[in-house]
Amino acid sequence: MEIQKSNFSEWYNAVIKEAELCDIRYDLKGFVVFRPWSVMSMNKMFEMYEKELQARGHLPALFPALIPASYLMKESEHVEGFVPEVFWVTAAGNNQLEEKCAMRPTSETAMYSMFALWIHGLKDLPLKIYQRCQVWRYETKATKPFIRSREFYWIEAHDAFATKEEAERQVREDMDMAEKVLHQQFCVPFLFFKRPQWDKFAGAVDTFGADTLMPDRRALQLPSTHLLGQNFAKAFNIKYMDENEKEQYVWQTCYGPAISRIYAAVIAVHGDEKGLVLPFDIAPIQIVIVPIVKKGVEEKVMKKCKDLEEQLSKKYSVKLDDSDNTPGFKYNYWELKGVPIRIEIGIRDIENDSVILFRRDTKEKITVSLDKLEEKIEELREGIRKNLKERADRWFNSQTTKADSVEELGNKLEEYGFVRVPFCTDRLDGKACAEVIKERTHANIRGSLYEEKEKPKGKKCIACGKPATVYLYAARQY
Ligand SMILES: [Zn+2]
């Protein structure tokens, strides 16, 4: 393909089709088929995330996909937030169910019903459980493959602690995990925002969401972590006996990295006019070998290619493309698929004991002698990661600015992704002002920057003109 990324929507639709990432022809609105090339990457991404969760004391579990209505209804804010999005199962075979069941939109109510049975004393805490699963939400906003659909694939981690401090520490740890996996390994930059009270997770005390920017400068929420306080503990009666033999409610957090959506960010942030560009560690095929054959030397070249395939397969995912297509066709095909390294071998290279390496991210060709090949591949693996991260960071870091009025905000949004504005409050009272902003600029208030300490001095809320108490960030969003 050859489409400039500046026309992002067209580019995105073309790349997911041409690179065979999904098929949108499944005849059910908001549901798409994820094809092997995307699933193989997402499986690697799941594994990398799970490794970090386990290293921090989380254990895997699998909960039923159906949640009895009575579970879902226990926490009142949660009910209000999620019920409009639930797919219900009301019948089985020819029988109406006595109690209808929700296809899980998220698993708080499923898990916490069991947490209440599992947690008795301090010895049972902290409890840190996660599952890798799909969830279903009846989205009414426009759907777009990987970005927003009615079924998506994620990890949800649910933790219970004896104290508020431990729960707060967990929120911090969830953010660190996002940094380690999403930014350092998938090379996708983001900012963590504390969401305003009108935009928090239904049932949470506070929600912290990591927003990245797509190439059209619209924000996309990646993992979010929620401080649940004791809201669910009280609704589900999750208690433990403390040192003084007194019953206490637990403090809870939950964390939801949506892998299918994070994959959308990987596609969008790294891809170029030729198609996908994948970080080495999540590419389904990391190295493709392309033989350059001429009449009379086919056998010699193919033998060398096969030997190399065998040697490199011990460490990497390798594919020898021995199809009848021309080398040029193969180059385009595997570049479109985002394979990070291509090895080209012709008879001249064999005579020189060398090969040509092509790296997808910079489109450079390098000649490497065979005895240095594995060393060079290791160097490229790290070099590609570093380059993708730096390239993404450079653009992302240039996308934040400030404004002091609604007009200025509207103008700045034409050139920037995040715009910081003085605001009256991020408590519920501020919602009306956020609606004014939305109406006039089509931007949403994403919240306050988690790490920002600066408070507005002598500034006025850009929407209502009352004294500003907080800096909030506005962005157009997916
Ligand atoms: Zn205001």
Side-chain angles (χ1 to χ4, degrees):
M1 66 180 246
E2 187 77 49
I3 298 177
Q4 293 309 315
K5 224 169 137 184
S6 47
N7 190 347
F8 177 64
S9 190
E10 190 194 346
W11 178 91
Y12 186 81
N13 292 337
V15 84
I16 60 175
K17 179 164 183 256
E18 305 284 321
E20 299 166 311
L21 306 182
C22 72
D23 199 320
I24 57 171
R25 293 172 296 178
Y26 193 81
D27 200 10
L28 189 56
K29 191 177 157 25
F31 290 79
V32 296
V33 177
F34 292 163
R35 304 186 67 181
W37 196 253
S38 65
V39 174
M40 285 190 282
S41 276
M42 287 192 281
N43 282 347
K44 290 187 174 197
M45 293 163 71
F46 268 115
E47 279 162 25
M48 289 155 84
Y49 233 113
E50 290 182 71
K51 197 175 146 209
E52 295 299 327
L53 281 161
Q54 293 192 10
R56 290 165 179 78
H58 293 83
L59 291 174
L62 290 170
F63 279 72
L66 295 189
I67 302 179
S70 59
Y71 285 14
L72 195 73
M73 300 304 177
K74 276 187 185 166
E75 208 288 328
S76 59
E77 281 184 26
H78 191 72
V79 173
E80 207 181 303
F82 275 99
V83 164
E85 294 188 0
V86 166
F87 283 94
W88 291 105
V89 176
T90 58
N94 294 322
N95 303 316
Q96 287 298 309
L97 294 181
E98 263 174 50
E99 181 182 9
K100 65 178 180 178
C101 290
M103 300 283 286
R104 66 172 163 242
T106 175
S107 299
E108 283 73 15
T109 59
M111 291 199 183
Y112 303 163
S113 300
M114 302 311 291
F115 278 22
L117 303 175
W118 294 344
I119 296 171
H120 307 287
L122 277 167
K123 66 171 174 42
D124 305 314
L125 296 171
L127 180 64
K128 298 168 87 165
I129 295 280
Y130 77 89
Q131 71 175 345
R132 163 184 180 169
C133 64
Q134 77 260 58
V135 291
W136 298 271
R137 293 182 188 173
Y138 180 65
E139 285 284 355
T140 48
K141 290 182 193 161
T143 57
K144 205 170 179 66
F146 302 105
I147 293 176
R148 176 177 286 110
S149 48
R150 290 180 173 174
E151 178 175 39
F152 62 89
Y153 294 79
W154 75 348
I155 292 169
E156 47 178 322
H158 296 267
D159 301 347
F161 303 92
T163 64
K164 187 182 178 201
E165 292 67 34
E166 286 172 278
E168 284 168 346
R169 239 186 343 262
Q170 184 59 46
V171 164
R172 189 66 247 185
E173 188 180 281
D174 293 343
M175 292 183 189
D176 292 344
M177 243 184 292
E179 168 61 26
K180 179 133 193 229
V181 184
L182 218 67
H183 191 208
Q184 301 298 331
Q185 301 182 58
F186 306 161
C187 310
V188 173
F190 57 81
L191 288 171
F192 254 108
F193 293 104
K194 180 181 168 201
R195 297 283 184 236
Q197 285 294 306
W198 60 85
D199 191 28
K200 65 183 183 181
F201 177 76
V205 172
D206 274 315
T207 285
F208 303 86
D211 287 348
T212 191
L213 289 173
M214 298 300 253
D216 58 3
R217 301 198 173 87
R218 282 160 74 191
L220 183 69
Q221 172 169 300
L222 298 176
S224 50
T225 170
H226 315 283
L227 184 65
L228 301 177
Q230 295 180 310
N231 293 348
F232 284 90
K234 286 174 183 163
F236 286 82
N237 207 25
I238 313 174
K239 288 190 283 199
Y240 69 97
M241 200 73 84
D242 71 9
E243 306 90 329
N244 308 317
E245 307 264 307
K246 263 187 77 185
E247 281 194 322
Q248 303 286 354
Y249 287 109
V250 296
W251 294 85
Q252 291 179 275
T253 62
C254 61
Y255 183 40
I259 298 297
S260 46
R261 182 178 264 202
I262 294 172
Y263 183 69
V266 169
I267 301 171
V269 168
H270 303 312
D272 65 16
E273 74 290 347
K274 295 249 182 203
L276 278 184
V277 176
L278 294 171
F280 192 89
D281 287 344
I282 64 172
I285 293 172
Q286 296 168 318
I287 301 168
V288 63
I289 302 173
V290 177
I292 316 291
V293 286
K294 282 198 195 110
K295 262 206 158 23
V297 298
E298 293 98 332
E299 224 169 284
K300 214 170 172 189
V301 171
M302 284 315 291
K303 170 148 191 348
K304 190 76 208 167
C305 288
K306 280 183 185 148
D307 288 348
L308 261 188
E309 183 193 22
E310 200 188 314
Q311 177 198 335
L312 296 175
S313 293
K314 288 177 189 142
K315 264 178 106 172
Y316 308 109
S317 316
V318 183
K319 160 100 185 160
L320 165 59
D321 187 349
D322 54 4
S323 67
D324 291 335
N325 296 315
T326 63
F329 181 93
K330 293 175 186 178
Y331 294 174
N332 282 332
Y333 181 77
W334 295 111
E335 284 173 32
L336 166 64
K337 294 276 209 177
V339 171
I341 297 176
R342 178 171 78 227
I343 300 180
E344 302 166 14
I345 307 179
I347 191 70
R348 179 102 55 85
D349 304 306
I350 296 175
E351 283 162 8
N352 292 337
D353 267 330
S354 65
V355 294
I356 292 171
L357 290 187
F358 169 85
R359 59 185 277 191
R360 175 66 181 86
D361 62 328
T362 58
K363 305 193 185 81
E364 280 172 289
K365 279 195 180 193
I366 318 148
T367 304
V368 184
S369 70
L370 275 174
D371 58 336
K372 291 261 165 34
L373 181 60
E374 287 199 29
E375 198 181 308
K376 189 68 193 174
I377 290 170
E378 273 307 298
E379 189 189 312
L380 283 185
R381 171 192 212 157
E382 176 58 15
I384 291 166
R385 190 192 67 81
K386 227 172 139 225
N387 176 51
L388 290 181
K389 181 172 163 293
E390 281 170 10
R391 198 157 79 179
D393 284 354
R394 206 175 311 128
W395 182 78
F396 186 77
N397 293 338
S398 72
Q399 287 300 313
T400 299
T401 188
K402 306 167 186 178
D404 280 324
S405 69
V406 178
E407 291 69 29
E408 195 185 358
L409 169 62
N411 293 334
K412 291 278 174 76
L413 284 166
E414 299 304 316
E415 284 172 67
Y416 294 89
F418 297 115
V419 184
R420 190 185 84 168
V421 295
F423 219 74
C424 48
T425 175
D426 63 353
R427 312 298 307 170
L428 277 179
D429 304 348
K431 192 178 180 188
C433 289
E435 278 161 5
V436 169
I437 305 283
K438 173 89 187 164
E439 169 99 23
R440 292 184 55 191
T441 66
H442 306 292
N444 285 71
I445 296 296
R446 308 299 290 175
S448 55
L449 200 55
Y450 181 72
E451 282 169 352
E452 184 160 292
K453 300 278 171 279
E454 200 185 331
K455 294 262 176 258
K457 282 193 205 88
K459 301 227 176 198
K460 292 194 163 71
C461 172
I462 61 163
C464 67
K466 287 183 196 148
T469 64
V470 64
Y471 280 124
L472 299 182
Y473 287 74
R476 293 184 177 138
Q477 71 178 45
Y478 273 92

